[in-house]
Amino acid sequence: MLAGASAFAQQYDLLIKNGHVIDPGNEIDAVLDVAIKGDSIAAVAKDIPSDQAKKTIDATGLYVTPGLIDLHAHVFGYSGWLWPDDTQLLTGTTTVVDCGGSGWRTFETFKETVIDRSKTRVLAFINVVGAGMVGTESDIDDMDAEKLAAKIKQFPEIIVGIKCAHYGRKDYYNLEQAVKAGNLAGVPMIVDNSILTSNDRDTETKLLKYFRPGDIHTHMFNDRHLEIADRFTGKIQPYMLEARKKGRLLDVGHGSGSFVWPNAHKVMAQHFYPDTISTDLHNSSIFTTKADMPNVMSKMMALGMSLQETIFRSTARPAQVIRKYPEIGTLGTGKIADIAVLELEEGIFGFADSWKKKKLAKQRLRAVLTVRAGELVFDEKGLGFPEWQTAGEYEKIP
Ligand SMILES: [Zn+2]
């Protein structure tokens, strides 16, 4: 017995004990321990002994979830982009998808300068415009479906889809090119609606005529999308119901200008939930609207979404949407150890929207610890460190 026991001693590198594990992909919602070996999840079980791990973290009273996946943020190209590690890891977010910062002509620069140098897993929706997210993204002479598809096929692990946005022309040429490239490369597209532009295009045509199943409509709670719910009756528009039935997906894409309480309230009250919760994080949305993942998740909860649903739409669901599930988005044994430890704070909290109006709520989710590929990369409370014992310890430092 002793020989056997010693063989198992410290077989794990890290053990997160006593946390409430919510792993929607594996239908886990219980107080359990999570053991990590190297960069992978080794076990999720009850009462894993601490002496089997080199380091143990006590997560009593905290929620342990798969690392959050931010499906829409800006970490390259756009003038307001932010460095992913500085903005994502400290919010429990281990995977971020850059939303159109790079195009087929600039993707390699993005890869060399940001993707390859980040601890955060950085994926990309590549812009339909070759130059990426510059100007109004309306330069049709810089759209080339063949070259776009070729670039996607060259980097299939990183490029997960095509972004179309801020298009100022009165036609659907950018969507036609994105669909063509998307069909050639087998990826979905993510599309805004009339942000920064005024044209004759409408959401109904976009969703029902151009979208394919799996294509994503982002900024769903933007005030320019009041048509998502009828402004007089407040009811969800029939074409939105039809679009969802046909497999069109809806993303929050909060940002600085794309989340207004009256719109979100009407839509959420009818349980017409976003498929994916995302931030559209950039240099202005990080401040007053504070659109990081836990904050946007808290806003969904303030509108009635359960904690479990909120975590599903921030982990397993975005992984499915970008066709990376179950490679990421779960705590399944053998999967990469990307983990968020979240605290659900109780109190009175104010959450601001794009119109600078706030809603008060009694709960707030906050990230307190992040593990990325088995490495403890963010630890707000020092949960992973031993307490210092005596001042004399300093005398031993050479
Ligand atoms: Zn955006």
Side-chain angles (χ1 to χ4, degrees):
M1 278 301 286
L2 273 175
S6 65
F8 284 107
Q10 300 199 328
Q11 59 173 317
Y12 304 125
D13 294 307
L14 183 62
L15 179 63
I16 302 174
K17 276 194 75 69
N18 305 319
H20 186 138
V21 177
I22 299 182
D23 178 9
N26 289 310
E27 295 179 8
I28 292 175
D29 184 356
V31 174
L32 291 168
D33 301 340
V34 179
I36 294 135
K37 187 175 174 59
D39 64 1
S40 304
I41 305 284
V44 178
K46 264 198 185 323
D47 303 324
I48 300 173
S50 290
D51 60 9
Q52 291 187 9
K54 291 180 188 140
K55 183 193 277 288
T56 299
I57 288 168
D58 182 7
T60 302
L62 301 170
Y63 290 93
V64 179
T65 75
L68 306 177
I69 299 173
D70 190 350
L71 184 103
H72 177 168
H74 294 281
V75 300
F76 177 78
Y78 171 51
S79 59
W81 73 273
L82 297 164
W83 187 251
D85 292 354
D86 295 348
T87 51
Q88 301 289 348
L89 294 179
L90 80 174
T91 60
T93 309
T94 50
T95 297
V96 61
V97 190
D98 179 75
C99 208
S102 68
W104 58 267
R105 288 199 283 112
T106 59
F107 176 76
E108 263 114 332
T109 306
F110 175 30
K111 185 172 180 300
E112 284 159 22
T113 58
V114 178
I115 295 172
D116 293 348
R117 297 183 191 184
S118 301
K119 271 192 180 164
T120 315
R121 178 187 292 98
V122 180
L123 305 173
F125 285 116
I126 192 168
N127 206 299
V128 70
V129 181
M133 194 171 173
V134 286
T136 62
E137 298 165 62
S138 307
D139 184 1
I140 58 169
D141 294 333
D142 199 20
M143 295 179 193
D144 184 322
E146 272 85 19
K147 285 185 173 143
L148 180 55
K151 191 59 65 184
I152 298 166
K153 287 181 181 171
Q154 196 184 338
F155 296 98
E157 295 298 315
I158 305 173
I159 304 175
V160 297
I162 301 163
K163 169 77 182 295
C164 293
H166 314 127
Y167 185 69
R169 293 170 55 93
K170 296 182 189 297
D171 57 44
Y172 291 86
Y173 185 79
N174 66 337
L175 294 191
E176 287 159 6
Q177 292 303 301
V179 167
K180 191 175 168 192
N183 287 339
L184 286 171
V187 295
M189 62 178 179
I190 182 166
V191 186
D192 79 339
N193 200 55
S194 308
I195 309 283
L196 308 178
T197 62
S198 175
N199 56 34
D200 296 334
R201 310 198 311 171
D202 65 90
T203 308
E204 181 171 359
T205 304
K206 181 184 91 171
L207 291 177
L208 296 182
K209 186 167 172 212
Y210 289 96
F211 267 42
R212 303 158 298 167
D215 287 335
I216 309 150
H217 167 93
T218 188
H219 304 308
M220 69 178 282
F221 297 127
N222 193 296
D223 54 336
R224 298 167 194 85
H225 293 282
L226 278 172
E227 71 261 45
I228 192 172
D230 185 287
R231 69 186 61 213
F232 300 109
T233 67
K235 291 265 193 315
I236 303 292
Q237 296 279 14
Y239 77 83
M240 290 302 302
L241 299 170
E242 190 186 342
R244 173 155 269 180
K245 207 181 283 175
K246 288 183 167 170
R248 280 69 167 148
L249 306 176
L250 300 170
D251 174 53
V252 174
H254 187 300
S256 56
S258 297
F259 184 86
V260 292
W261 284 119
N263 198 9
H265 182 264
K266 272 184 213 156
V267 174
M268 294 284 287
Q270 292 164 74
H271 296 101
F272 196 74
Y273 287 171
D275 286 280
T276 51
I277 296 171
S278 73
T279 65
D280 186 19
L281 200 70
H282 56 274
N283 66 352
S284 58
S285 63
I286 200 169
F287 291 110
T288 50
T289 53
K290 201 181 175 294
D292 60 39
M293 281 299 289
N295 187 276
V296 181
M297 292 163 77
S298 299
K299 287 175 177 176
M300 294 298 107
M301 290 173 68
L303 289 166
M305 191 185 278
S306 71
L307 176 64
Q308 287 76 4
E309 282 270 8
T310 304
I311 289 166
F312 171 62
R313 288 158 206 277
S314 309
T315 58
R317 189 69 184 125
Q320 291 168 344
V321 168
I322 58 173
R323 302 168 188 184
K324 291 278 184 192
Y325 187 85
E327 183 186 333
I328 59 172
T330 91
L331 297 175
T333 306
K335 302 296 181 213
I336 199 89
D338 288 354
I339 301 170
V341 179
L342 306 170
E343 182 168 18
L344 185 58
E345 298 175 303
E346 305 281 341
I348 302 290
F349 306 99
F351 295 100
D353 73 353
S354 302
W355 287 353
K356 305 272 188 277
K357 299 281 167 56
K358 75 182 169 208
K359 178 176 174 63
L360 297 176
K362 290 180 177 168
Q363 292 183 318
R364 178 170 70 181
L365 268 181
R366 197 163 58 92
V368 296
L369 185 141
T370 308
V371 174
R372 165 76 182 109
E375 184 189 347
L376 182 56
V377 290
F378 170 67
D379 184 359
E380 188 189 72
K381 291 172 180 263
L383 296 172
F385 304 120
E387 267 185 77
W388 70 277
Q389 298 298 325
T390 66
E393 286 185 18
Y394 287 88
E395 291 154 15
K396 294 177 203 155
I397 295 172

